[in-house]
Amino acid sequence: MGAWQPLPDDLPPEVRHFVEQLRQLKDRTGLSLVALGARTAYSKSSWQRYLNATQPPPRPAVVALCRVAGIDKEEAERFGVRWELAVQAWPKPATVPAKPEDADGAEEYEDDPTLPWWDAPPKEQKPPSRRLLAVAVALVVVLVLTAVIGALALG
């Protein structure tokens, strides 16, 4: 279980400590990464990234690992604190996508699945399309007609 890749030398101490503790917790479960993925909402490849310090885990992943490992509430809270410290110190990606500006001057970002969720910009909500509205209205009309015809047929 303890055959981990060495962590990068330039990793901040908070991140190194957190990942080492996370690795120990994972080893304590006795589960493989595949089995851990099956017991949590995170895939084997996600756990590989988290446990090799290539990407910080989301807090719910840490909570899930604590639950699977069966640790008590106090120790789980300590993991939460370690997670917060590690996320603050986690190295930012070397290449951050440029932030192009459209004609109105508003910033617009492309979706980049490699960015962690806390660096991803909030997505703007687009108004529903007219086609979607037309389909919804048509469905309502069909349902009302079906109810009326059914009521007339059954008396």
Side-chain angles (χ1 to χ4, degrees), residues 88-108:
Q88 290 173 1
W90 211 282
K92 301 295 181 212
T95 57
V96 176
K99 300 173 185 174
E101 292 190 17
D102 61 13
D104 297 332
E107 291 184 351
E108 186 179 300

Side-chain angles (χ1 to χ4, degrees), residues 36 39-42 47 59-69:
L36 182 60
R39 302 265 313 264
T40 64
Y42 301 90
W47 282 112
R59 188 179 189 111
V62 176
V63 170
L65 179 57
C66 289
R67 180 184 44 79
V68 168

